[in-house]
Amino acid sequence: MTGAPLAAAVAAPVNLNGPGHYVGWGIFHFSVANVVMVAVIVLALIAALLLPFPKGRDRG
Amino acid sequence: MTEQLVRTRPTGGWTGSLRRGMERNLPPAKLLPDEQPSYVASWIYVFGVLTLTALLVVVGSGIVLSVRGPDWWHTSAVGHYFNSVHLWSVELLMVFMSVHLIGKFFMAAWRGRRALTWITGAVSFIACATTALTGYLIQQNFDAQWISTQAKDGLNAIGVGAYFNVMDFGQMMLWHVALFPIVVALVVLLHILLVRRRGVVPPIARAGAAGDRS
Amino acid sequence: MSRWPREAAEPDPSSFGSRPYDLVKEFVVALVGVTVLTLLLAAVFSSPDEKSMSVASWAKADPGDFTATALAELDGSSDTAGYGPPYNTAADGQKIGPFALAKTVGVTHAIDTAQAFVLTPLEQATQSPDVRAALGTYMSASDDQRGAWTDAYSTALDKAGDDPAKVTPGGYGPVPVLLSQLLAQAKSGSLDATLSAESGFYHSDYTLPLMFLADGSDLAAAGEQQHLAGDQWGMTNEVDNYPGQVWLIPDSFFYQVSPFDHSPNGDALVWAVMAVLTAVFLLVPFIPGLRRIPRLIPVYRLVWREHYKTHP
């Protein structure tokens, strides 16, 4: 399977193909996709630090 | 008299010393404890195991891609899907590892003779990034062409390119699926064994509190 | 352990009291969760597979750039011809201060651009009598004569906007015939095969075709269009809207700032800086000041807030 049938079969619900999007401040120039990945890291870190951890029974 | 000497002298040669070392440093209760110190109570601790499991998904999807060989994923929808799994597991691996790394930094997790644990973790990060680069080089598409012709300049600049040729598909394939994974596996294994040997780093003693030695 | 007195003095974890914690269950739950999450991400977002560029597609799309590049390989003015180690001795390669690592290691992958990219592919194919004659004339000419032909043709091609069809007649010797035949071989796809096969029947080394493609303008243009060039933070980017090697942001950063962005030794200098930063990263536990940061920015109070409630 090559060409059009393959393209149809691997088509994803969210299509990330096509011209990329970029943001920049001064010398900084990032793809939006990379900014999202960094944001995921930051949000995961904040969530891990702030969300309450289920309490277990203390021993000793 | 002779019996007494035999009993007190270490036995078993190198094998015996290795076994005693393992028993002393990593007894089963340390290797697989069913409890943790009471201060292990934060979601930040979960990112170590998340990193490890994402690495296993990377390896698993990589094995599937290897079974059918490098051309498969360009011509098969199933192959392309496994390539996608490989890509996204790597992105998750690096996200989880970054959170784990930042968390451990702010816990000063190298305290209490845990410096080697930190160092093996840092080496794992670099080894994973390097392995990922070789993965990008063996995609047999525009990405691979671009990244190899760009990366060669950096590597040639310090003489490494003379032996590690990023434009040699065969060489990069072997580094990516054989040599670097061995390095990653060994360093990660050592990292985990060190974590188990020393236990989870205790809380930083607060300024002025008893036990504060900063 | 007198070397690290303070480090060794941390209390034993077991002295804090403990709670049940099922590591194996945690591992299995995490493995299932991460596997499901990855399978979903792969299904929802897929992955990029931008078709590779071939010498054939390049020659068909931009015959002028192909011809100009082939001429540069023939007269020794291409990037590869002037690269230096590990491909040739035309330059010394980059340096870190007095250290010329590339030059020290030397030429390990010799490329004679005229021979590898132009003459060998022409010699290996079955040629018409006029091409055979042109090849014979070129091979038996002196270096000065060859230089005169290629210089003249280079100027004329430049004037014609890199379009060989618009080049006015002149003293180019056999050069136009050779390049026109090479273009025909490239368009037919046989040059891709010839360049790869110069190392033998079995081959896995794409150095020659990749260097040839990279000497042209079209690969660079395609990369820049996708924001993949070094000065576009391209090291971190992926084609289209996919995330790339985000973890290379520190490496990529230095390529954007002076002196790395314009120094002829830019790559080597970035490596030098990254080597120092990597050493710092590995040795954080031993670096005074750096290892105190966690105490100064008390994120740890959040991590262990439950503990500090009972151990003020």
Side-chain angles (χ1 to χ4, degrees):
Chain A
M1 186 165 57
T2 52
L6 177 67
V10 301
V14 178
N15 186 2
L16 296 183
N17 296 295
H21 295 83
Y22 304 88
V23 287
W25 314 266
I27 61 161
F28 295 94
H29 176 91
F30 298 126
S31 72
V32 170
N34 281 356
V35 173
V36 169
M37 296 311 289
V38 174
V40 167
I41 292 173
V42 173
L43 291 177
L45 182 68
I46 292 173
L49 291 172
L50 296 184
L51 290 180
F53 192 76
K55 273 187 184 164
R57 289 166 291 119
D58 271 22
R59 281 185 202 168
Chain B
M1 186 68 184
T2 321
E3 263 178 31
Q4 211 175 352
L5 267 179
V6 168
R7 244 186 266 126
T8 52
R9 206 169 55 199
T11 55
W14 294 5
T15 312
S17 337
L18 178 63
R19 187 187 60 243
R20 280 188 297 276
M22 285 164 67
E23 282 166 354
R24 192 171 55 246
N25 290 310
L26 285 167
K30 259 193 177 181
L31 211 51
L32 275 179
D34 53 17
E35 27 185 69
Q36 288 293 331
S38 52
Y39 53 79
V40 179
S42 166
W43 286 105
I44 198 74
Y45 286 109
V46 176
F47 281 84
V49 72
L50 286 177
T51 306
L52 178 64
T53 50
L55 179 62
L56 291 177
V57 179
V58 171
V59 173
S61 53
I63 287 174
V64 175
L65 290 170
S66 300
V67 166
R68 295 295 302 269
D71 293 342
W72 180 51
W73 74 275
H74 299 284
T75 54
S76 146
V78 178
H80 191 102
Y81 179 70
F82 275 101
N83 179 73
S84 307
V85 173
H86 202 53
L87 169 71
W88 287 101
S89 56
V90 169
E91 293 289 346
L92 283 182
L93 167 68
M94 298 310 277
V95 165
F96 293 149
M97 191 160 29
S98 300
V99 177
H100 179 61
L101 166 66
I102 298 168
K104 290 300 160 187
F105 175 79
F106 282 110
M107 290 150 88
W110 51 79
R111 289 171 295 123
R113 297 167 65 190
R114 291 174 179 82
L116 195 56
T117 316
W118 171 272
I119 291 170
T120 51
V123 172
S124 304
F125 190 95
I126 295 161
C128 284
T130 314
T131 312
L133 174 70
T134 54
Y136 280 89
L137 294 171
I138 57 167
Q139 292 180 90
Q140 301 171 302
N141 56 18
F142 174 76
D143 254 8
Q145 290 181 307
W146 179 264
I147 296 171
S148 61
T149 49
Q150 293 288 303
K152 76 170 194 306
D153 295 329
L155 293 162
N156 288 340
I158 51 163
V160 173
Y163 303 107
F164 185 80
N165 182 5
V166 288
M167 293 176 294
D168 187 332
F169 171 75
Q171 190 189 8
M172 290 306 108
M173 175 65 93
L174 291 171
W175 276 92
H176 184 70
V177 302
L179 303 176
F180 279 136
I182 292 173
V183 174
V184 171
L186 289 178
V187 179
V188 169
L189 182 68
L190 181 57
H191 182 71
I192 292 169
L193 290 179
L194 283 167
V195 172
R196 294 276 37 100
R197 180 185 174 190
R198 298 283 184 219
V200 181
V201 72
I204 294 176
R206 292 215 283 183
D212 175 36
R213 284 168 294 269
S214 64
Chain C
M1 280 296 141
S2 56
R3 275 164 63 219
W4 306 332
R6 173 149 53 87
E7 305 297 336
E10 290 293 334
D12 191 303
S14 62
S15 65
F16 289 85
S18 60
R19 68 170 70 189
Y21 201 108
D22 196 338
L23 285 177
V24 173
K25 185 178 169 190
E26 182 191 49
F27 172 83
V28 172
V29 170
L31 184 60
V32 172
V34 171
T35 304
V36 170
L37 180 59
T38 315
L39 294 178
L40 282 175
L41 286 169
V44 172
F45 296 115
S46 189
S47 54
D49 190 13
E50 188 96 353
K51 205 173 172 332
S52 52
M53 186 180 275
S54 63
V55 174
S57 68
W58 169 38
K60 279 183 208 157
D62 198 349
D65 185 59
F66 174 87
T67 304
T69 306
L71 179 62
E73 306 293 10
L74 189 62
D75 72 9
S77 64
S78 70
D79 288 347
T80 301
Y83 197 97
Y87 311 119
N88 51 51
T89 52
D92 282 349
Q94 296 192 21
K95 286 179 190 165
I96 303 172
F99 303 106
L101 294 172
K103 193 182 178 190
T104 307
V105 173
V107 177
T108 56
H109 201 298
I111 301 176
D112 172 346
T113 58
Q115 197 63 49
F117 296 128
V118 183
L119 300 173
T120 299
L122 289 171
E123 285 162 355
Q124 285 185 348
T126 310
Q127 304 291 10
S128 64
D130 59 325
V131 175
R132 276 207 306 273
L135 203 49
T137 308
Y138 188 85
M139 295 309 282
S140 56
S142 67
D143 283 349
D144 286 348
Q145 177 63 70
R146 289 177 182 181
W149 288 331
T150 52
D151 282 354
Y153 193 61
S154 179
T155 310
L157 195 60
D158 222 22
K159 211 184 276 177
D162 280 352
D163 184 351
K166 291 184 184 154
V167 172
T168 51
Y172 319 130
V175 171
V177 175
L178 298 181
L179 294 185
S180 143
Q181 173 58 22
L182 193 71
L183 177 63
Q185 285 179 221
K187 282 179 171 172
S188 75
S190 70
L191 187 54
D192 283 291
T194 314
L195 288 175
S196 293
E198 282 187 27
S199 54
F201 177 80
Y202 285 106
H203 48 83
S204 65
D205 183 356
Y206 290 81
T207 303
L208 281 184
L210 283 170
M211 295 292 279
F212 194 26
L213 277 176
D215 282 339
S217 310
D218 285 30
L219 186 71
E224 275 161 28
Q225 200 196 339
Q226 290 275 13
H227 293 243
L228 298 177
D231 58 3
Q232 296 172 305
W233 294 76
M235 197 184 262
T236 64
N237 287 341
E238 176 58 279
V239 295
D240 299 340
N241 285 298
Y242 290 92
Q245 300 179 75
V246 184
W247 45 93
L248 295 182
I249 283 177
D251 304 64
S252 193
F253 167 77
F254 289 100
Y255 280 98
Q256 319 305 320
V257 295
S258 187
F260 311 98
D261 62 345
H262 64 268
S263 165
N265 298 313
D267 289 301
L269 294 176
V270 170
W271 271 106
V273 170
M274 290 312 295
V276 172
L277 290 181
T278 302
V280 169
F281 175 39
L282 294 179
L283 300 176
V284 163
F286 307 105
I287 299 175
L290 200 55
R291 66 177 180 187
R292 269 192 64 81
I293 290 176
R295 292 170 196 268
L296 303 176
I297 307 174
V299 174
Y300 70 89
R301 287 189 198 172
L302 284 172
V303 175
W304 291 308
R305 59 186 182 274
E306 291 297 320
H307 168 80
Y308 292 129
K309 275 181 198 163
T310 50
H311 299 74

